[in-house]
Amino acid sequence: MNCPGYIWARTEVKILAMDENVILRSALDKNLKSAVTTAFLMLPESFSEEDLFIEIAGLSYSGDFRMVVGEEKSKVLNIVKPNVAHFRELYGSILQENPQVVYKTQQGRLEQQINHIMDPPGKNRDVEETLFQLAHDPDCGDVVRLGLSAIVRTSSIRQSTKGIFTAGMKKSMIYSSLKLHKMWKGWLRKTS
C-alpha cells in the first residue's frame, strides 16, 4: 500500500510515494491526520473542501513572520486553488474514515459531527464533555490559531536566522529583496 507524503513547491503540491520506510510512512500518516484534526478546530460546523485545504495548507504559515513581510499574502490560496484534486487524493481516505465529519464528496462539502461521537456511558465522559464544549465555543478557532502562531513563529525565526549564517549575508539580502519584490507585485495585482 502506498502512503503518500507531500511537498509544496511554490504553488504546486507534489505527492510522494513512500513504500520502503515504514517509520517515515507512519509519521507522514500521523502528520496528515493531525493537520485535519487541527483544521477542524478552526472551521465552522459546515464548510467546503477548499476551506479545509486552505486551513491545512495555512498551518505551516500561521505565525510565520515572513508572511507579514516578504511573502505574497495569497500564497496559501495560490497553493490550494490549482491543486484541489491533489489535496483530495492526499486527504480523501482520511476524511472518509474520520468519524468527526460527514464528507459529501459529490458536493465537496463537509459537516462536523463532534457532538455525535459518544463512547459507552461514563467511559470517557470528561473527554466527551471537553470536546462538546470545544465544538460549541465560538473562540476555539482563534485560540488554536494563537497557539499555532506561537509555535510556527519561533521555528520560522530560528530557520531564517540559520539561513543567514548558512547562505551568508549577501545571498540572504538578495533573497529577501526578491521576496519583497514578489510580495509588492502581488499587492499591486490585488489593488488594481
Side-chain angles (χ1 to χ4, degrees):
M1 178 183 145
N2 281 351
C3 178
Y6 60 92
I7 57 172
W8 294 334
R10 294 190 180 192
T11 59
E12 187 178 345
V13 175
K14 302 238 185 234
I15 298 178
L16 309 172
M18 298 289 171
D19 289 325
E20 64 285 343
N21 191 327
V22 175
I23 295 169
L24 180 58
R25 183 172 58 223
S26 175
L28 285 170
D29 191 44
K30 286 178 185 175
N31 187 44
L32 295 173
K33 289 177 181 176
S34 294
V36 167
T37 301
T38 303
F40 284 169
L41 291 171
M42 297 185 289
L43 287 163
E45 191 173 324
S46 178
F47 50 92
S48 70
E49 286 176 319
E50 192 173 284
D51 293 336
L52 174 65
F53 301 149
I54 288 169
E55 285 293 343
I56 290 170
L59 294 175
S60 298
Y61 301 104
S62 172
D64 188 334
F65 79 94
R66 294 168 292 194
M67 289 301 290
V68 177
V69 176
E71 285 291 349
E72 190 176 339
K73 303 303 176 232
S74 58
K75 180 174 186 159
V76 174
L77 198 59
N78 292 342
I79 291 170
V80 174
K81 283 267 189 199
N83 293 293
V84 169
H86 294 295
F87 278 95
R88 258 189 223 121
E89 182 181 343
L90 197 57
Y91 291 99
S93 63
I94 292 169
L95 297 171
Q96 293 287 351
E97 297 167 7
N98 193 315
Q100 290 178 281
V101 73
V102 173
Y103 184 25
K104 300 175 182 178
T105 53
Q106 299 298 348
Q107 295 92 358
R109 302 281 313 161
L110 298 99
E111 292 179 14
Q112 295 199 57
Q113 304 290 309
I114 198 163
N115 54 344
H116 296 296
I117 303 170
M118 294 292 180
D119 284 332
K123 185 174 179 199
N124 287 312
R125 189 57 54 204
D126 290 343
V127 173
E128 289 171 3
E129 288 174 13
T130 301
L131 289 174
F132 187 79
Q133 287 174 346
L134 276 174
H136 293 90
D137 182 349
D139 298 326
C140 179
D142 294 335
V143 171
V144 172
R145 276 186 190 86
L146 281 173
L148 281 171
S149 291
I151 294 167
V152 173
R153 185 177 305 106
T154 302
S155 174
S156 72
I157 291 170
R158 190 178 316 118
Q159 187 178 11
S160 293
T161 304
K162 285 180 185 177
I164 292 169
F165 290 110
T166 304
M169 185 61 79
K170 182 179 177 184
K171 283 184 181 177
S172 295
M173 294 299 289
I174 292 169
Y175 176 79
S176 297
S177 66
L178 291 172
K179 287 300 228 177
L180 287 169
H181 179 70
K182 185 177 179 181
M183 182 183 83
W184 180 255
K185 281 175 42 181
W187 182 80
L188 286 175
R189 240 189 335 260
K190 193 183 280 187
T191 57
S192 58

